[in-house]
Amino acid sequence: MIKAVLSDIDGTLVESNWLHAAAWRDAFAVIGIQLELEEVRRQIGKGGDELVPVFVPWWKRKTVEEPLKTYRKFVFETDYLGRVKAFPRVRQLIERMRQAGIKIALASSSKKDELDAYKKIANIEDLVDENTSADDADRTKPHPDIFQATLGKLGLKPKEALALGDTPYDAEAAGKANVGTVGVTTGGWSEKELMDAGCVEVWKDVGDLLDNFDRSVFVRFGLSG
């Protein structure tokens, strides 16, 4: 039986992926790396430790990585955080999961302070049982560390949980932790891309999952297992 959902938040519960991409684009431009918004967006879902090496040559990385991540954080908080909105019916989905006896854990590559801000935006602070952020793991997605840390906090086995995410990096990271992933397409990835990455099922958004919750894998798995 599914006892917990290990939910991503950026692009899954709140509409922030393109805003994060814009902040990274602005930060990279300062060090002379000009990028299109979409090529950065396709890397969102990873933590900065995994995203930066995609665009910064190895010989420059040690010098610029930490200042770049610090500046990106400043740009995001200053110019973009105020524009982040919750996707419709997020709270209702989380309430429905709790009614089904499913614990709610956030498992995100974001930093803890960003995660706290998102919980307020999504109005789910009182519904979350556990939080795991980039601060709790040595490596961020697509590595399994964040999901493994979340399972440890919950005291659960991988088969007792499902992940919920919007990027292939969520599915890849959860899969390495032996956790299945339910996908949503609100992060900019297609259903096919998410299924190819290992998702067990994909919904349009959290509202679509809520409408179909009783026939989703969250319920079907419990009935069959």
Side-chain angles (χ1 to χ4, degrees), residues 11 50 55 73 81 111 118 136-137 139 161 169 171 179-180 189 210:
E50 295 293 320
F55 301 112
K73 181 178 175 63
L81 180 58
K111 292 290 187 178
Y118 295 150
D136 298 303
R139 302 173 300 175
Y169 314 119
V179 174
W189 298 89
L210 176 61

Side-chain angles (χ1 to χ4, degrees), residues 103-209:
K103 289 187 175 181
I104 310 301
L106 300 181
S108 171
S109 290
S110 296
K111 292 290 187 178
K112 183 181 182 301
D113 57 344
E114 288 182 4
L115 200 60
D116 290 340
Y118 295 150
K119 285 192 295 181
K120 291 180 181 179
I121 291 169
N123 188 28
I124 58 171
E125 292 175 283
D126 58 321
L127 302 178
V128 175
D129 297 290
E130 287 290 351
N131 305 282
T132 305
S133 67
D135 300 307
D136 298 303
D138 292 331
R139 302 173 300 175
T140 58
K141 302 171 188 174
H143 297 287
D145 302 36
I146 287 172
F147 288 112
Q148 290 169 337
T150 310
L151 289 170
K153 288 183 177 184
L154 293 168
L156 296 179
K157 299 175 182 178
K159 66 180 181 180
E160 296 176 310
L162 283 170
L164 176 64
D166 66 297
T167 74
Y169 314 119
D170 294 309
E172 184 179 346
K176 290 175 181 176
N178 297 312
V179 174
T181 301
V182 174
V184 288
T185 62
T186 40
W189 298 89
S190 69
E191 178 181 355
K192 183 180 185 304
E193 288 171 319
L194 293 172
M195 291 297 289
D196 287 347
C199 286
V200 296
E201 65 182 21
V202 176
W203 302 97
K204 179 181 176 182
D205 52 30
V206 292
D208 187 28
L209 174 55

Side-chain angles (χ1 to χ4, degrees), residues 57-76:
W58 66 268
W59 53 269
K60 187 187 293 187
R61 203 171 299 149
K62 185 175 180 180
T63 302
V64 305
E65 182 169 353
E66 290 308 316
L68 182 64
K69 290 192 291 187
T70 299
Y71 183 63
R72 191 286 317 171
K73 181 178 175 63
F74 169 77
V75 170
F76 181 74

Side-chain angles (χ1 to χ4, degrees), residues 77-109:
E77 291 178 349
T78 302
D79 297 338
Y80 297 107
L81 180 58
R83 294 158 60 182
V84 175
K85 296 180 181 179
F87 286 114
R89 305 171 73 196
V90 167
R91 184 176 176 88
Q92 292 96 316
L93 174 63
I94 300 302
E95 288 175 333
R96 178 68 184 87
M97 288 178 167
R98 289 177 65 92
Q99 288 169 7
I102 297 173
K103 289 187 175 181
I104 310 301
L106 300 181
S108 171
S109 290

Side-chain angles (χ1 to χ4, degrees), residues 41-60:
R41 197 278 307 166
R42 292 185 70 86
Q43 300 300 320
I44 299 301
K46 299 177 179 179
D49 59 317
E50 295 293 320
L51 186 151
V52 170
V54 175
F55 301 112
V56 179
W58 66 268
W59 53 269
K60 187 187 293 187

